[in-house]
Amino acid sequence: MDPSHSVSPAPTYWVAPRHLAGDDGVLAERIGDTLTDLGWRMWPTSRNSLLYVSPDGLRGAEWILAAYPFELGGLPVAWQVSARPHPDSALTEWNAYFTAGVPHEALTDFLLALDASETPDVGLENAEAVLAALGARGWLRDMDRPHTTATDPGFSTNVSLEMVPPLIHDADPRDDLLGWQAWAEPVLGAPYLWCASFSASAPHELVAAFASSVAAPGPVPRRTLPVGAEDRLTVVRRG
């Protein structure tokens, strides 16, 4: 699928909350359109992925679902986003990974914040920014881990500073690092709806942009409702 050419039909539903609304099957198209509008260059790779690079060469985003590199929470990773300190650097400073099903609005806001950042490879001094962003949306801090974890009032979606899962690449090679992880589990014990993983060096301010967006309370348009989350969604109106 080429995310640079798409026409989405009119929405069938307006639903809330955003964090359980899924990606409506248009995660490739919506993010590709966003990056193209920002002036990022795109070209296909030999592993059937689509690589986007910002004009300054410091930021990258790759649609890797077809390559199926690995899974998070049993879901295939769809987008990998990265930043590097210099355009000619062979190694990225940090990476963020988003599975299929992640609300495209939240990933869009993350990428807009990344594009606007003057120093996309730094920003580790304010971990509290992530939890503050969620608290401003009415999310609750975990009683046992108030400085690292927050959940939505319905206890279906979590954002937490955790040990980084395997295969998450970062400039810091240590294997005992913490990075922000996010996941939606509409029904306890059922398959995840989506997962996101940020490597240890991902700037907290950018993670906060994603967290604030994924927790936004307003309804979002969807043509289809995600399997497993229908009973947790409120249909505000039909298109």
Side-chain angles (χ1 to χ4, degrees), residues 157-225:
T157 304
N158 296 272
V159 178
S160 184
L161 196 59
E162 305 272 354
M163 291 289 293
V164 177
L167 304 178
I168 303 300
H169 297 292
D170 192 87
D172 191 326
R174 291 175 293 174
D175 58 6
D176 58 348
L177 299 173
L178 301 179
W180 288 103
Q181 314 302 315
W183 64 95
E185 187 180 14
V187 179
L188 186 63
Y192 293 124
L193 177 59
W194 58 265
C195 298
S197 180
F198 302 85
S199 74
S201 300
H204 296 305
E205 289 78 5
L206 297 182
V207 181
F210 173 82
S212 178
S213 182
V214 83
V220 291
R222 292 293 185 267
R223 292 175 293 116
T224 59
L225 302 182

Side-chain angles (χ1 to χ4, degrees), residues 69-114:
F70 63 97
E71 295 181 343
L72 289 172
L75 298 171
V77 173
W79 281 99
Q80 177 179 350
V81 180
S82 61
R84 62 191 71 239
H86 307 288
D88 56 353
S89 175
L91 298 177
T92 57
E93 190 70 17
W94 59 264
N95 289 272
Y97 305 82
F98 305 87
T99 70
V102 69
H104 53 78
E105 296 90 349
L107 181 49
T108 292
D109 287 339
F110 175 76
L111 289 166
L112 291 175
L114 172 62

Side-chain angles (χ1 to χ4, degrees), residues 32 58 77 83 97 100 103 106-107 123-124 141 149 157 164 179 207 221 233-235:
L58 299 179
V77 173
Y97 305 82
L107 181 49
L124 296 177
R141 297 198 186 214
T149 304
T157 304
V164 177
V207 181
L233 289 170
T234 298
V235 177

